[in-house]
């Protein structure tokens, strides 16, 4: 069977996305079938390109542990439906960054991502997800990266919408050079944006 609304080329892309998870063993078969069966639900919120990104994450997870990959897919099926439109790609790309470093933290991120986004205004969430991806990719330790994102979300939740936007923009500006500096800024954003201690961050004080 195929999904309604897909063209012939799109159906072929979808089939390849699911089939690539199969490598000849029964566990990989279970993972491919689960993604195949879950596709109608996933494609209610994901584009085909986003589904392919999800397949890439699952492929990395399966290389480590098929039970982990199956568990993460269960989590993704529930989690992705809780996100606002347009947030799915950023959440998956952050998981992709984690999967290439330590796949064991993907499920933790997917479990918590909707709650970490909840304190943020909709206009700040895309920036926070770009920041999350950079931190997940570059932070020295993935566990510390998740801790930093938790702390950053909580700190941003204490700010008004204008201050949230300023804090996320400034943190994004720091992330490429210093992911740790970006998260340190977020944790101190309330004090800094009140006009105190800006001299600690001269590159954003202006």
């Amino acid at each position: 069977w195929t999904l309604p609304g897909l063209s012939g080329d799109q159906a072929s892309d979808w089939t390849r996305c699911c089939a690539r998870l199969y490598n000849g063993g029964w566990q990989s078969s279970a993972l491919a079938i689960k993604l195949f069966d879950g596709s109608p639900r996933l494609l209610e919120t994901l584009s085909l390109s986003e589904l392919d990104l999800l397949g890439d994450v699952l492929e990395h997870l399966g290389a480590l542990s098929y039970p982990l990959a199956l568990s993460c897919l269960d989590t993704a099926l529930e989690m992705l439906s809780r996100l606002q439109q347009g947030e799915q790609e950023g959440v998956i790309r952050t998981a992709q960054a984690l999967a290439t470093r330590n796949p064991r933290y993907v499920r933790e991120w997917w479990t918590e991502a909707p709650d970490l986004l909840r304190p943020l205004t909709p206009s700040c969430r895309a920036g926070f997800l770009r920041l999350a991806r950079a931190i997940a990719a570059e932070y020295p330790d993935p566990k510390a990266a998740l801790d930093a994102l938790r702390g950053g979300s909580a700190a941003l939740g204490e700010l008004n919408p204008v201050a949230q936007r300023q804090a996320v923009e400034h943190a994004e500006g720091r992330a490429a050079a210093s992911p740790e500096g970006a998260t340190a800024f977020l944790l101190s954003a309330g004090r800094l944006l009140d006009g105190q201690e800006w001299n600690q961050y001269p590159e954003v004080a202006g």
Side-chain angles (χ1 to χ4, degrees), residues 71-117:
S71 175
C72 285
L73 180 51
D74 282 334
T75 301
L77 283 164
E78 188 276 330
M79 175 274 299
L80 290 166
S81 65
R82 295 171 56 199
L83 300 176
Q84 299 297 313
Q85 192 62 37
E87 296 171 359
Q88 290 81 4
E89 181 176 355
V91 170
I92 295 171
R93 286 194 179 278
T94 301
Q96 190 179 38
L98 288 169
T100 60
R101 302 188 66 203
N102 190 329
R104 297 189 184 281
Y105 291 104
V106 169
R107 186 174 184 275
E108 203 168 329
W109 162 246
W110 276 348
T111 298
E112 297 184 37
D115 293 330
L116 295 181
L117 290 170

Side-chain angles (χ1 to χ4, degrees), residues 25-107:
W26 70 268
Q27 291 189 95
S28 68
S29 174
L31 181 60
I33 290 169
K34 192 174 190 68
L35 181 60
F36 186 88
D37 289 343
S39 290
R41 181 177 173 186
L42 289 166
L43 288 173
E44 290 177 1
T45 54
L46 300 183
S47 66
L48 275 174
S49 62
E50 290 167 343
L51 185 67
D52 192 59
L53 285 175
L54 177 62
D56 182 73
V57 175
L58 295 172
E59 195 169 19
H60 276 92
L61 295 172
L64 175 70
S65 164
Y66 280 108
L68 174 63
L70 287 163
S71 175
C72 285
L73 180 51
D74 282 334
T75 301
L77 283 164
E78 188 276 330
M79 175 274 299
L80 290 166
S81 65
R82 295 171 56 199
L83 300 176
Q84 299 297 313
Q85 192 62 37
E87 296 171 359
Q88 290 81 4
E89 181 176 355
V91 170
I92 295 171
R93 286 194 179 278
T94 301
Q96 190 179 38
L98 288 169
T100 60
R101 302 188 66 203
N102 190 329
R104 297 189 184 281
Y105 291 104
V106 169
R107 186 174 184 275

Side-chain angles (χ1 to χ4, degrees), residues 161-183:
V162 174
Q164 272 192 17
R165 177 181 56 77
Q166 291 176 325
V168 170
E169 288 176 355
H170 292 322
E172 276 196 271
R174 295 182 60 83
S178 173
E180 298 97 324
T183 54

